[in-house]
Amino acid sequence: MNEENNSIHNFDFNLICDYFSLLKRQGPGSSETTIKALSFIDNLTTESKIADIGCGTGSQTMILAQHTRANIVGVDLFPGFINQLIQNAEKLGLQHRIKGVVESMDNLSFKNESLDLIWSEGAIYNIGFSSGLKLWHHLLKKGGYIAITDACWFSDKRPIEIENYWLDDYPGIDTVGNKVKQMESAGYSMVAVFDLPESCWTENYYHPQKEAQKVFLQRNKRNKFVQSFVVNQQQEAEMYEKYKSYYGYTFFIGKKS
Ligand code: SAH
C-alpha cells in the first residue's frame, strides 16, 4: 500500500472506531449471554488469567471481572478502545484486575500455556473462526477453556440475497454443526453451544446505533465516507430484520483437549 492509500485507510479506520466508541457494545451480545457462557466454566480463581480478545471498549470484559476473581487482559487493535476499556474498569473500581493491551489477534504476545480462559465475543471473524481457534490453542493451559461468539447459519438453505451479503462480508459464516466440527478439529472438546437471542442484535446493537448515527453525521458534516458508512450500517440492520431467522451469533464454549 502506498503512503497516500495508507493514510486514507487509517483515516477511515479511525472514523469507524469513533463511531463504535459512541456505543456501549461494538457487536451483538448481552450481559446475560456472557454470564450464561461463563456458567459452563469452572475452576477460575484469583490466580487465573483470562484474555478477552477483540474486547472493544470492554462491555463483556467488565462482566467477566464482576463474575470471576480472575485477572483479565483485554486485547484490541484500536488504542482508543483500549483507553475506554481502562476508563470503564476504573469507573467500576476494577482496574487492578483488568489490563488493556493494543495488539493484533493474529500476533499475540501471551506465553505458551499461560491462559486459563480465552474469551472473544464478535471478533474472531477478523481472522476467521477456524484459523483463530488453531492459532490461539497453544496459549491455553491444558484443560483451559475457550468461549467465542461467531456468525452462523441457522438453516441449511437460505435466500440468495442474504447468502451473497454474508459471503461478501464474512465467507467464514457456516452452520453451527460445521463450526462444532471445526472447533473439535482445532483441538477442543465441546462444553456447550447456544444461540444468542434476537435482542442481542436489536435492543443491544442496532437500536442504540440510531442515536449514534445522528451524532456521527452531525460531527462529520459533508464527509462522504461517513455518509456511506452510516448507510451501510442501516442496510446491515435492515438485512437482519428481514433475514434474522436464517442467521445469528452462536456461543461456542470448548475445553483444550
Ligand atoms: N467484543 C466486543 C467488540 C466486538 S467488535 C463486543 O462484543 O462489544 C470487534 C473488535 O475486534 C473491535 O473492537 C475491533 O477493533 C477488534 N479487532 C479487529 N481486528 C482486530 C485484530 N486484528 N486484532 C485485535 N482486535 C481486532
Side-chain angles (χ1 to χ4, degrees), residues 107-124:
N107 191 21
L108 296 167
S109 61
F110 297 107
K111 293 201 176 86
N112 276 353
E113 303 199 357
S114 64
L115 300 172
D116 297 276
L117 170 61
I118 292 178
W119 204 270
S120 185
E121 292 195 32
I124 201 170

Side-chain angles (χ1 to χ4, degrees), residues 136-248:
W136 300 342
H137 189 264
H138 72 104
L139 303 174
L140 273 183
K141 290 179 188 167
K142 289 201 182 75
Y145 287 92
I146 189 160
I148 308 275
T149 60
D150 199 30
C152 288
W153 294 125
F154 291 159
S155 69
D156 289 332
K157 289 215 161 81
R158 46 263 154 187
I160 193 74
E161 186 183 20
I162 192 62
E163 176 113 21
N164 287 338
Y165 184 81
W166 267 99
L167 294 181
D168 263 359
D169 202 43
Y170 177 40
I173 188 170
D174 209 333
T175 58
V176 176
N178 283 344
K179 293 224 164 172
V180 165
K181 284 184 200 145
Q182 289 169 23
M183 198 154 166
E184 287 170 340
S185 67
Y188 304 90
S189 51
M190 295 312 297
V191 173
V193 179
F194 64 91
D195 298 334
L196 268 57
E198 200 182 307
S199 57
C200 287
W201 293 75
T202 51
E203 280 163 44
N204 295 354
Y205 186 57
Y206 290 132
H207 295 176
Q209 287 191 45
K210 288 182 188 163
E211 195 47 45
Q213 285 160 4
K214 284 187 202 152
V215 175
F216 192 52
L217 287 169
Q218 187 66 28
R219 268 189 201 169
N220 299 285
K221 282 188 182 141
R222 287 181 290 280
N223 181 319
K224 290 271 180 282
F225 168 77
V226 164
Q227 287 162 1
S228 71
F229 175 79
V230 167
V231 168
N232 275 339
Q233 290 304 115
Q234 290 166 343
Q235 281 169 347
E236 191 196 302
E238 282 160 20
M239 283 302 221
Y240 183 73
E241 208 38 51
K242 193 167 169 191
Y243 292 117
K244 60 193 171 193
S245 58
Y246 294 97
Y247 70 93

Side-chain angles (χ1 to χ4, degrees), residues 25-27 54-56 60 76-77 81 103-105 121-123 126:
R25 303 198 59 95
Q26 290 76 46
C55 61
Q60 73 289 313
D76 205 280
L77 193 56
F81 287 165
E103 241 174 37
S104 184
M105 61 174 78
E121 292 195 32
N126 287 294

